[in-house]
Amino acid sequence: MSNELHNQNKSSPFSLRLPDSMRKELEEKAEMDFISLNSAIVMRLARCLREEKGHAA
């Protein structure tokens, strides 16, 4: 799903500053899921946006 989501639309580079502790947690989760850090972030952002959209409806 993560690669499908990442490749679904044209993507562009985006710099993001994260607290070290958050980055470490995301890296650990990405490793557990056998995905890249970028895919882990995209996947979580997409889930959050879907949930917010669902609550707004």
Side-chain angles (χ1 to χ4, degrees):
M1 177 184 152
S2 60
N3 286 337
E4 176 183 314
L5 180 63
H6 182 267
N7 295 328
Q8 185 175 356
N9 299 309
K10 192 175 194 178
S11 60
S12 58
F14 180 80
S15 294
L16 178 66
R17 292 185 186 100
L18 295 172
D20 289 339
S21 59
M22 184 181 290
R23 182 183 177 108
K24 182 172 173 40
E25 185 175 353
L26 285 164
E27 286 173 335
E28 289 170 0
K29 295 200 178 286
E31 188 175 316
M32 287 173 35
D33 291 338
F34 303 101
I35 59 176
S36 69
L37 175 59
N38 186 80
S39 291
I41 292 169
V42 169
M43 201 167 71
R44 283 166 173 76
L45 282 172
R47 184 182 329 134
C48 181
L49 291 170
R50 280 193 312 269
E51 288 172 2
E52 287 181 359
K53 193 180 234 182
H55 289 299

